[in-house]
């Protein structure tokens, strides 16, 4: 046995022991432990085959898959044949968390708020329903509280964001009544400039409150300090969980991953995996989706590139084979 294999085995065993301590008194049942739907997004072009490869690597099937519509123009948003072709005949077609760009380039949030785009969303709802995706979770205008990540940010005009989100969801549901909607925010290292309550579109158009979190912070911190920041910063994990409870909505972790130091992250940090899984078990989460992707500025892959063997071992022990 190589030293790397031995080290990975020790990490996995240590992580499992740590998790046992973290969640000894955690609640059980739906939303925690095995009752939580566990999934991944493995990067474009994603297919059932690439999702199955991730599932095999972690040692457990995926309950849900993250996916993103191409928002370059209305043609790609209204008629996502690339999506239907990729998942045709696959069980994943019914188990997607589907992120919807709220604005293609050149469109305004004010127009969306006034209802200019409703016909596009109704058309998409009809097509999703016709292709067996009429009960997936949709995530319109994700990461609403980030001031810089996306053009549909709620920060400049929370009222316009609320109205645009609500119109999108209502139009989708006219054609696909079983669709569920996810109001998504992020633990934002680039600032948190809008209160969650101000951006929230309303109980009638939100089924799930979701949060994205990566092992990163706006300034260099130790691993323990970074995790504390993720939990306690304005708009952090604890605040989002409390907000979801206050609205009577289930909580989800829509995106999560370790992050490279070049992105303000901790690199190969198994402690982040242990801490976040323990937190999810303690607060109760309906689904979690690992972002198995390498970007220009960060590599969060656990199995595809070998950059994070410690985190991969912890993940396999706590999530993959739980």
């Amino acid at each position: 046995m190589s030293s790397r294999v031995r080290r990975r085995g020790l990490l996995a065993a240590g992580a499992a022991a740590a998790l046992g301590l973290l969640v000894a008194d955690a609640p059980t049942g739906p939303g925690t432990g095995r009752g939580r739907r566990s999934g991944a997004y493995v990067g474009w072009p994603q297919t059932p085959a690439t999702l199955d490869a991730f599932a095999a690597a972690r040692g457990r099937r995926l309950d849900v898959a993250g996916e993103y519509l191409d928002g370059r123009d209305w043609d790609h948003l209204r008629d996502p044949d690339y999506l239907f072709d990729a998942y045709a005949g696959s069980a994943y077609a019914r188990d997607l968390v589907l992120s919807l760009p709220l604005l293609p380039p050149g469109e305004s949030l004010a127009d969306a708020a006034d209802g200019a785009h409703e016909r596009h969303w109704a058309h998409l709802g009809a097509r999703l329903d016709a292709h067996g995706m009429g009960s997936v979770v949709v995530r319109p205008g994700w990461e609403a509280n980030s001031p810089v990540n996306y053009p549909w940010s709620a920060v400049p005009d929370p009222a316009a964001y609320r109205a645009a989100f609500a119109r999108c969801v209502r139009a989708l549901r006219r054609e696909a009544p079983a669709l569920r909607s996810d109001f998504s925010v992020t633990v934002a290292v680039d600032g948190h400039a809008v209160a969650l309550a101000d951006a929230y579109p309303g109980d009638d158009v939100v089924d799930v409150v979701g949060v994205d979190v990566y092992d990163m912070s706006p300034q260099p911190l130790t691993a323990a300090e970074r995790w504390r920041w993720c939990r306690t910063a304005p708009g952090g994990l604890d605040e989002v969980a409390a907000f979801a409870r206050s609205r009577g909505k289930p909580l989800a972790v829509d995106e999560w991953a370790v992050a490279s130091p070049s992105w303000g992250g901790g690199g190969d940090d198994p402690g982040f995996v242990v801490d976040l899984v323990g937190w999810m078990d303690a607060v109760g989460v309906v689904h979690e989706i690992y972002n198995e992707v390498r970007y220009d500025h960060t590599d969060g892959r656990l199995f595809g590139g070998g950059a994070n063997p410690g985190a991969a071992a912890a993940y396999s022990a706590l999530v993959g084979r739980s």
Side-chain angles (χ1 to χ4, degrees):
M1 181 184 293
S2 71
S3 60
R4 169 174 285 189
V5 172
R6 287 196 299 272
R7 184 165 63 252
R8 285 172 63 93
L10 289 171
L11 278 166
L19 183 69
L21 293 174
L22 281 170
V23 301
D25 297 319
T28 59
T32 63
R34 292 191 179 218
R36 177 173 60 239
R37 300 170 77 209
S38 176
Y41 172 67
V42 300
W44 190 90
Q46 180 168 273
T47 66
T50 61
L51 291 165
D52 287 344
F54 181 88
R58 77 176 191 165
R60 175 186 168 192
R61 68 177 294 275
L62 297 176
D63 306 307
V64 61
E67 187 56 277
Y68 299 77
L69 287 194
D70 185 339
R72 74 181 81 175
D73 53 39
W74 280 118
D75 287 342
H76 286 79
L77 274 173
R78 284 168 44 95
D79 291 302
D81 291 322
Y82 53 90
L83 179 80
F84 304 139
D85 292 344
Y87 293 96
S90 167
Y92 290 116
R94 301 185 301 276
D95 294 314
L96 295 177
V97 174
L98 185 60
S99 297
L100 308 181
L102 202 52
L103 296 174
E107 300 283 6
S108 75
L109 197 61
D111 285 345
D114 287 341
H117 304 157
E118 285 191 23
R119 69 188 187 281
H120 298 306
W121 297 124
H123 180 86
L124 173 62
R127 295 221 61 199
L128 289 171
D129 198 55
H131 284 83
M133 298 181 179
S135 60
V136 301
V137 176
V138 292
R139 197 165 69 123
W142 65 97
E143 300 190 351
N145 62 323
S146 170
V148 301
N149 283 4
Y150 299 104
W152 53 75
S153 170
V155 173
D157 191 344
Y161 177 87
R162 295 195 306 269
F165 183 107
R167 287 186 179 274
C168 171
V169 171
R170 289 180 184 129
L172 287 164
R173 285 179 177 168
R174 282 202 295 270
E175 303 297 333
L179 280 179
R180 292 157 290 160
S181 65
D182 181 321
F183 168 63
S184 161
V185 296
T186 182
V187 179
V189 299
D190 43 34
H192 174 70
V194 62
L196 299 179
D198 289 342
Y200 186 66
D203 290 341
D204 61 323
V205 291
V206 173
D207 298 298
V208 178
V209 172
V211 62
D212 298 350
V213 60
Y214 293 83
D215 183 25
M216 55 192 295
S217 56
Q219 64 277 330
L221 297 173
T222 67
E225 290 169 339
R226 196 168 52 251
W227 170 243
R228 188 177 308 114
W229 182 87
C230 287
R231 285 192 60 176
T232 63
L237 291 171
D238 290 349
E239 182 179 336
V240 178
F243 180 78
R245 286 195 299 272
S246 76
R247 307 307 310 184
K249 302 295 182 180
L251 178 68
V253 177
D254 293 322
E255 299 178 17
W256 69 281
V258 295
S260 300
S262 59
W263 205 34
D268 184 19
D269 182 5
F272 175 74
V273 178
V274 172
D275 288 336
L276 183 60
V277 172
W279 181 86
M280 290 190 291
D281 278 346
V283 301
V285 171
V286 291
H287 69 245
E288 54 82 13
I289 298 173
Y290 191 85
N291 200 7
E292 175 78 348
V293 176
R294 181 183 185 277
Y295 299 108
D296 290 342
H297 45 276
T298 185
D299 189 350
R301 292 175 299 174
L302 299 176
F303 306 116
N308 302 293
Y315 177 86
S316 292
L318 304 179
V319 180
R321 296 180 176 86
S322 61

